[in-house]
Amino acid sequence: MNSVNRRFFLTGSLSAAALGHAARAQSAPIGAGVIGTGNRGTADLKSVLAQPGVKVNALCDIKPDRLDNAASLAAAHKPVTLKDYRELLARRDIDAVFIATPCDLHVEMAIAALKAGKHVYCEKPAGITPESIQRLVDAARAGDRVFQIGQQMRSLQRLRRAIEKVQEGAIGEVIMIKAQRHAAADLPHDSSSADWFFDARRSGDVIVEMSVHNLDVCNWVAGSRPQRAAGFGGTLLWKNDPPGRTNMDCYSLSYEYANGVKLSYTQVFFHPRGLPGGGQTTYVYGVKGAVDLDTATLYSLDAKSMPVVLAEPVEEDRHAHVAAFFDCIRTGAKSPADITVAATAALTAILGREAIYRKQVLTWESLGVRI
């Protein structure tokens, strides 16, 4: 099947045959394949199945139980099930690939998919090392396939509206951001993802595997990228638990952005339930006041002013990010989370991680990536 990312420009006269071909191309279903059918991959699969004009033709995983569950979920589409992702990429009935595997496999699989002529939706992070991210950036920009990262917060309507208000000057010049990701417990040690999540060599550590979402929002609202970072962290509570663990359970980071914005960011796995100040928050400070992005509420520095809601709550479509991906394929629309967003977010997390590991203030340039 030829690429479904077709545009037809009617200039002057167009033959009936060409018009017929255009109509067929527009109505043909997009063939999709999912590589990795664990928790995240299953969520992606559900979103794919919710899309009109899309057919799931293949599923791939090395864990039989996961693969069987995914095949049952997509039974109406009658997908083939595979253990080798390269077999999926070789199929001509696959136009778009979803990659939801452990983090250390993202770059390898995404580049292979792009080279095979597939559109790629890759779960975050884009990669876990600067060198691999550079290879992915080069591959994504070398062709005309759609690449989208699974940082779905970019498709949240209320968050987008709140950030637009900030960038339109609701609090004046942005000067600082304070954000956090505080959980009451560690990832379950018997999780089906425990075999790679607790291994920093495979996950990139929790800052890259998890906080890439939060740091991406900080980049988005700052309208910039970090210039340097410093921080401290380690495994303070869950020491060698599970056995052989190499990822952190807490850290504190400070970033300075290229445009001067400062960011303070923390993540912990031991914030007790009921203790105030838990959960995920993002506060944006400007010269006129501050905005709580999670509630889209503005608080003025003028003590006489009342809080102002910048964006009313909406019923968010949990499939919106995947829908945007297919819209890009069909219409050529700009992705809400393209390769630049993907690489910048992952590198922001990696910069913080390396600053902690090396106990140094590190600069963006030290990563050596051109984006």
Side-chain angles (χ1 to χ4, degrees):
M1 179 177 174
N2 292 329
S3 166
V4 294
N5 188 19
R6 304 180 178 98
R7 300 183 195 174
F8 298 91
F9 298 92
L10 304 181
T11 55
S13 62
L14 187 64
S15 69
L19 281 169
H21 177 71
R24 287 193 299 276
Q26 292 292 344
S27 61
I30 297 175
V34 179
I35 304 172
T37 55
N39 292 338
R40 191 63 246 160
T42 297
D44 288 340
L45 176 58
K46 291 177 180 178
S47 290
V48 175
L49 292 170
Q51 304 307 312
V54 179
K55 187 173 184 293
V56 178
N57 288 325
L59 301 168
C60 179
D61 205 303
I62 61 173
K63 296 182 177 180
D65 58 333
R66 290 181 167 189
L67 196 55
D68 288 346
N69 289 338
S72 296
L73 190 64
H77 290 220
K78 299 179 180 179
V80 298
T81 55
L82 305 165
K83 292 182 179 179
D84 190 334
Y85 80 92
R86 289 165 293 193
E87 292 182 29
L88 185 148
L89 297 182
R91 295 183 64 90
R92 297 186 65 186
D93 61 351
I94 300 297
D95 304 298
V97 175
F98 286 74
I99 298 171
T101 55
C103 305
D104 59 327
L105 301 175
H106 289 181
V107 168
E108 168 194 325
M109 292 179 172
I111 290 177
L114 290 166
K115 287 184 176 179
K118 315 301 184 185
H119 302 286
V120 176
Y121 182 110
C122 182
E123 273 305 328
K124 53 72 195 169
I128 62 174
T129 67
E131 297 79 13
S132 66
I133 291 171
Q134 183 67 72
R135 294 198 304 274
L136 179 57
V137 169
D138 292 343
R141 291 180 177 166
D144 63 353
R145 303 296 85 180
V146 174
F147 177 92
Q148 181 166 306
I149 196 71
Q151 289 166 201
Q152 65 268 25
M153 293 179 76
R154 288 271 178 165
S155 291
L156 293 176
Q157 297 181 60
R158 193 184 192 198
L159 177 61
R160 175 175 293 278
R161 291 171 187 163
I163 289 177
E164 286 174 352
K165 292 292 186 180
V166 170
Q167 294 180 339
E168 288 168 1
I171 54 174
E173 178 189 357
V174 174
I175 54 178
M176 185 176 178
I177 303 168
K178 185 179 184 299
Q180 68 176 45
R181 188 181 182 117
H182 289 193
D186 205 11
L187 186 81
H189 295 177
D190 59 354
S191 163
S192 58
S193 297
D195 55 345
W196 61 267
F197 177 82
F198 295 104
D199 183 351
R201 295 170 300 179
R202 301 206 63 198
S203 67
D205 218 318
V206 293
I207 183 175
V208 179
E209 203 284 332
M210 282 188 167
S211 285
V212 66
H213 280 300
N214 311 78
L215 293 171
D216 178 50
V217 170
C218 294
N219 289 347
W220 185 9
V221 72
S224 185
R225 60 161 174 77
Q227 179 57 39
R228 57 180 181 164
F232 301 91
T235 310
L236 304 187
L237 177 62
W238 303 96
K239 297 180 186 293
N240 197 38
D241 189 3
R245 176 189 192 129
T246 57
N247 69 343
M248 298 182 284
D249 64 7
C250 73
Y251 56 85
S252 176
L253 283 164
S254 293
Y255 289 92
E256 183 173 60
Y257 280 79
N259 62 1
V261 173
K262 308 299 186 288
L263 166 63
S264 172
Y265 184 81
T266 59
Q267 180 174 10
V268 303
F269 283 106
F270 42 74
H271 191 109
R273 289 181 177 86
L275 176 67
Q280 299 182 54
T281 59
T282 307
Y283 302 138
V284 185
Y285 300 89
V287 295
K288 296 180 181 178
V291 170
D292 177 348
L293 285 186
D294 302 283
T295 63
T297 304
L298 183 155
Y299 299 84
S300 174
L301 283 174
D302 181 354
K304 297 179 181 179
S305 298
M306 297 294 293
V308 176
V309 176
L310 299 177
E312 294 294 337
V314 296
E315 184 176 351
E316 301 283 358
D317 177 4
R318 69 178 184 277
H319 306 307
H321 204 54
V322 168
F325 173 64
F326 286 112
D327 185 47
C328 293
I329 294 173
R330 292 190 179 99
T331 72
K334 179 177 171 55
S335 170
D338 61 12
I339 187 60
T340 301
V341 168
T344 304
L347 290 168
T348 297
I350 290 169
L351 182 65
R353 180 192 71 197
E354 292 303 306
I356 293 170
Y357 283 6
R358 302 182 198 181
K359 296 181 172 61
Q360 296 176 347
V361 176
L362 294 185
T363 65
W364 186 267
E365 289 71 23
S366 69
L367 299 176
V369 181
R370 305 175 308 279
I371 59 172

Tab-separated table of all heavy atoms in Angstrom, residues 191-220:
chain	number	residue	atom	x	y	z
A	191	SER	N	5.601	-5.102	39.071
A	191	SER	CA	5.022	-4.640	37.806
A	191	SER	C	5.630	-5.400	36.637
A	191	SER	O	6.791	-5.831	36.680
A	191	SER	CB	5.290	-3.143	37.649
A	191	SER	OG	5.103	-2.727	36.314
A	192	SER	N	4.861	-5.532	35.569
A	192	SER	CA	5.372	-6.218	34.385
A	192	SER	C	6.467	-5.420	33.701
A	192	SER	O	7.158	-5.932	32.822
A	192	SER	CB	4.225	-6.478	33.393
A	192	SER	OG	3.601	-5.254	33.019
A	193	SER	N	6.640	-4.158	34.111
A	193	SER	CA	7.707	-3.320	33.557
A	193	SER	C	8.903	-3.194	34.497
A	193	SER	O	9.857	-2.467	34.206
A	193	SER	CB	7.162	-1.920	33.246
A	193	SER	OG	6.161	-1.971	32.256
A	194	ALA	N	8.847	-3.887	35.627
A	194	ALA	CA	9.913	-3.768	36.621
A	194	ALA	C	11.254	-4.263	36.096
A	194	ALA	O	12.309	-3.840	36.576
A	194	ALA	CB	9.539	-4.532	37.892
A	195	ASP	N	11.216	-5.154	35.089
A	195	ASP	CA	12.467	-5.715	34.579
A	195	ASP	C	13.352	-4.678	33.894
A	195	ASP	O	14.554	-4.891	33.749
A	195	ASP	CB	12.182	-6.881	33.625
A	195	ASP	CG	11.249	-6.501	32.484
A	195	ASP	OD1	10.601	-5.443	32.556
A	195	ASP	OD2	11.157	-7.287	31.523
A	196	TRP	N	12.752	-3.559	33.474
A	196	TRP	CA	13.575	-2.509	32.849
A	196	TRP	C	13.441	-1.156	33.548
A	196	TRP	O	14.373	-0.367	33.544
A	196	TRP	CB	13.220	-2.352	31.371
A	196	TRP	CG	11.794	-1.956	31.105
A	196	TRP	CD1	10.745	-2.784	30.857
A	196	TRP	CD2	11.263	-0.623	31.068
A	196	TRP	NE1	9.581	-2.067	30.675
A	196	TRP	CE2	9.877	-0.733	30.791
A	196	TRP	CE3	11.814	0.649	31.233
A	196	TRP	CZ2	9.043	0.383	30.688
A	196	TRP	CZ3	10.985	1.761	31.132
A	196	TRP	CH2	9.616	1.619	30.860
A	197	PHE	N	12.316	-0.889	34.184
A	197	PHE	CA	12.083	0.432	34.777
A	197	PHE	C	13.129	0.781	35.836
A	197	PHE	O	13.604	1.913	35.908
A	197	PHE	CB	10.681	0.491	35.385
A	197	PHE	CG	10.382	1.792	36.088
A	197	PHE	CD1	9.968	2.901	35.380
A	197	PHE	CD2	10.534	1.909	37.468
A	197	PHE	CE1	9.702	4.105	36.028
A	197	PHE	CE2	10.271	3.102	38.122
A	197	PHE	CZ	9.861	4.203	37.393
A	198	PHE	N	13.485	-0.174	36.676
A	198	PHE	CA	14.416	0.097	37.776
A	198	PHE	C	15.885	0.028	37.349
A	198	PHE	O	16.775	0.257	38.162
A	198	PHE	CB	14.156	-0.882	38.929
A	198	PHE	CG	12.805	-0.693	39.567
A	198	PHE	CD1	11.761	-1.578	39.306
A	198	PHE	CD2	12.558	0.389	40.406
A	198	PHE	CE1	10.517	-1.393	39.870
A	198	PHE	CE2	11.313	0.582	40.978
A	198	PHE	CZ	10.283	-0.308	40.712
A	199	ASP	N	16.129	-0.272	36.091
A	199	ASP	CA	17.478	-0.302	35.535
A	199	ASP	C	17.700	0.999	34.767
A	199	ASP	O	17.168	1.179	33.666
A	199	ASP	CB	17.623	-1.507	34.607
A	199	ASP	CG	19.029	-1.657	34.038
A	199	ASP	OD1	19.855	-0.741	34.219
A	199	ASP	OD2	19.292	-2.692	33.399
A	200	ALA	N	18.475	1.906	35.332
A	200	ALA	CA	18.676	3.225	34.719
A	200	ALA	C	19.303	3.136	33.336
A	200	ALA	O	19.117	4.025	32.504
A	200	ALA	CB	19.536	4.101	35.631
A	201	ARG	N	20.034	2.066	33.069
A	201	ARG	CA	20.636	1.905	31.747
A	201	ARG	C	19.581	1.660	30.678
A	201	ARG	O	19.827	1.915	29.499
A	201	ARG	CB	21.638	0.743	31.762
A	201	ARG	CG	22.854	0.966	32.645
A	201	ARG	CD	23.647	-0.308	32.786
A	201	ARG	NE	22.832	-1.374	33.397
A	201	ARG	CZ	23.260	-2.604	33.628
A	201	ARG	NH1	24.484	-2.954	33.260
A	201	ARG	NH2	22.469	-3.504	34.192
A	202	ARG	N	18.423	1.171	31.096
A	202	ARG	CA	17.352	0.889	30.141
A	202	ARG	C	16.267	1.960	30.149
A	202	ARG	O	15.700	2.292	29.115
A	202	ARG	CB	16.716	-0.476	30.436
A	202	ARG	CG	17.699	-1.642	30.385
A	202	ARG	CD	16.982	-2.926	30.056
A	202	ARG	NE	16.376	-2.853	28.727
A	202	ARG	CZ	15.412	-3.665	28.304
A	202	ARG	NH1	14.930	-4.599	29.116
A	202	ARG	NH2	14.923	-3.547	27.082
A	203	SER	N	15.981	2.516	31.322
A	203	SER	CA	14.906	3.512	31.436
A	203	SER	C	15.396	4.943	31.253
A	203	SER	O	14.603	5.841	30.982
A	203	SER	CB	14.224	3.398	32.798
A	203	SER	OG	15.115	3.769	33.839
A	204	GLY	N	16.714	5.147	31.445
A	204	GLY	CA	17.236	6.505	31.429
A	204	GLY	C	17.122	7.180	32.781
A	204	GLY	O	17.419	8.364	32.913
A	205	ASP	N	16.661	6.424	33.787
A	205	ASP	CA	16.361	6.882	35.143
A	205	ASP	C	14.997	7.570	35.146
A	205	ASP	O	14.464	7.945	34.105
A	205	ASP	CB	17.452	7.796	35.727
A	205	ASP	CG	17.664	7.531	37.226
A	205	ASP	OD1	16.668	7.351	37.937
A	205	ASP	OD2	18.829	7.484	37.657
A	206	VAL	N	14.434	7.761	36.331
A	206	VAL	CA	13.049	8.218	36.422
A	206	VAL	C	12.849	9.621	35.857
A	206	VAL	O	11.762	9.949	35.380
A	206	VAL	CB	12.520	8.161	37.869
A	206	VAL	CG1	12.422	6.729	38.342
A	206	VAL	CG2	13.382	8.975	38.810
A	207	ILE	N	13.883	10.438	35.908
A	207	ILE	CA	13.731	11.790	35.372
A	207	ILE	C	13.465	11.753	33.871
A	207	ILE	O	12.683	12.543	33.338
A	207	ILE	CB	14.977	12.656	35.687
A	207	ILE	CG1	14.765	14.080	35.172
A	207	ILE	CG2	16.242	12.042	35.107
A	207	ILE	CD1	15.880	15.015	35.540
A	208	VAL	N	14.085	10.804	33.171
A	208	VAL	CA	13.914	10.692	31.728
A	208	VAL	C	12.658	9.886	31.399
A	208	VAL	O	11.920	10.222	30.471
A	208	VAL	CB	15.160	10.052	31.076
A	208	VAL	CG1	14.976	9.901	29.570
A	208	VAL	CG2	16.399	10.887	31.382
A	209	GLU	N	12.390	8.840	32.157
A	209	GLU	CA	11.239	7.987	31.860
A	209	GLU	C	9.920	8.638	32.260
A	209	GLU	O	8.920	8.500	31.553
A	209	GLU	CB	11.399	6.653	32.611
A	209	GLU	CG	10.615	5.498	31.988
A	209	GLU	CD	9.131	5.538	32.255
A	209	GLU	OE1	8.732	6.085	33.305
A	209	GLU	OE2	8.358	5.019	31.427
A	210	MET	N	9.905	9.363	33.371
A	210	MET	CA	8.657	9.935	33.871
A	210	MET	C	8.574	11.452	33.707
A	210	MET	O	7.646	11.975	33.095
A	210	MET	CB	8.478	9.594	35.357
A	210	MET	CG	8.015	8.195	35.636
A	210	MET	SD	7.639	8.019	37.414
A	210	MET	CE	6.760	6.460	37.389
A	211	SER	N	9.561	12.146	34.252
A	211	SER	CA	9.447	13.602	34.341
A	211	SER	C	9.640	14.322	33.019
A	211	SER	O	9.478	15.540	32.958
A	211	SER	CB	10.435	14.142	35.384
A	211	SER	OG	9.969	13.858	36.682
A	212	VAL	N	9.949	13.571	31.965
A	212	VAL	CA	10.035	14.198	30.650
A	212	VAL	C	8.709	14.875	30.301
A	212	VAL	O	8.690	15.909	29.620
A	212	VAL	CB	10.447	13.158	29.580
A	212	VAL	CG1	9.370	12.112	29.380
A	212	VAL	CG2	10.816	13.832	28.278
A	213	HIS	N	7.577	14.322	30.789
A	213	HIS	CA	6.277	14.961	30.573
A	213	HIS	C	6.251	16.348	31.213
A	213	HIS	O	5.897	17.345	30.579
A	213	HIS	CB	5.168	14.119	31.204
A	213	HIS	CG	4.733	12.952	30.388
A	213	HIS	ND1	4.220	13.060	29.123
A	213	HIS	CD2	4.708	11.625	30.685
A	213	HIS	CE1	3.900	11.868	28.664
A	213	HIS	NE2	4.186	10.969	29.591
A	214	ASN	N	6.582	16.389	32.499
A	214	ASN	CA	6.499	17.633	33.256
A	214	ASN	C	7.497	18.667	32.752
A	214	ASN	O	7.183	19.864	32.643
A	214	ASN	CB	6.750	17.350	34.736
A	214	ASN	CG	5.912	16.198	35.244
A	214	ASN	OD1	6.235	15.040	35.001
A	214	ASN	ND2	4.836	16.491	35.962
A	215	LEU	N	8.702	18.223	32.458
A	215	LEU	CA	9.729	19.140	31.963
A	215	LEU	C	9.368	19.683	30.590
A	215	LEU	O	9.689	20.831	30.255
A	215	LEU	CB	11.089	18.437	31.934
A	215	LEU	CG	11.648	18.074	33.315
A	215	LEU	CD1	12.879	17.184	33.183
A	215	LEU	CD2	11.975	19.335	34.120
A	216	ASP	N	8.688	18.885	29.787
A	216	ASP	CA	8.230	19.368	28.486
A	216	ASP	C	7.230	20.503	28.649
A	216	ASP	O	7.257	21.489	27.902
A	216	ASP	CB	7.602	18.225	27.693
A	216	ASP	CG	7.057	18.691	26.351
A	216	ASP	OD1	7.807	19.371	25.611
A	216	ASP	OD2	5.882	18.410	26.048
A	217	VAL	N	6.330	20.373	29.624
A	217	VAL	CA	5.370	21.456	29.881
A	217	VAL	C	6.114	22.722	30.297
A	217	VAL	O	5.763	23.839	29.882
A	217	VAL	CB	4.347	21.035	30.955
A	217	VAL	CG1	3.505	22.226	31.406
A	217	VAL	CG2	3.443	19.933	30.414
A	218	CYS	N	7.164	22.562	31.107
A	218	CYS	CA	7.955	23.721	31.532
A	218	CYS	C	8.624	24.379	30.330
A	218	CYS	O	8.637	25.617	30.204
A	218	CYS	CB	8.998	23.302	32.561
A	218	CYS	SG	8.287	22.731	34.127
A	219	ASN	N	9.178	23.584	29.426
A	219	ASN	CA	9.773	24.133	28.207
A	219	ASN	C	8.731	24.877	27.381
A	219	ASN	O	8.988	25.960	26.840
A	219	ASN	CB	10.352	23.001	27.350
A	219	ASN	CG	11.598	22.371	27.941
A	219	ASN	OD1	12.195	22.903	28.872
A	219	ASN	ND2	11.988	21.227	27.402
A	220	TRP	N	7.556	24.270	27.291
A	220	TRP	CA	6.463	24.819	26.490
A	220	TRP	C	6.057	26.194	27.005
A	220	TRP	O	5.999	27.161	26.235
A	220	TRP	CB	5.309	23.832	26.554
A	220	TRP	CG	4.107	24.112	25.718
A	220	TRP	CD1	3.956	25.062	24.752
A	220	TRP	CD2	2.861	23.408	25.785
A	220	TRP	NE1	2.695	24.990	24.206
A	220	TRP	CE2	2.016	23.991	24.813
A	220	TRP	CE3	2.400	22.349	26.560
A	220	TRP	CZ2	0.699	23.530	24.614
A	220	TRP	CZ3	1.108	21.887	26.354
A	220	TRP	CH2	0.270	22.476	25.392
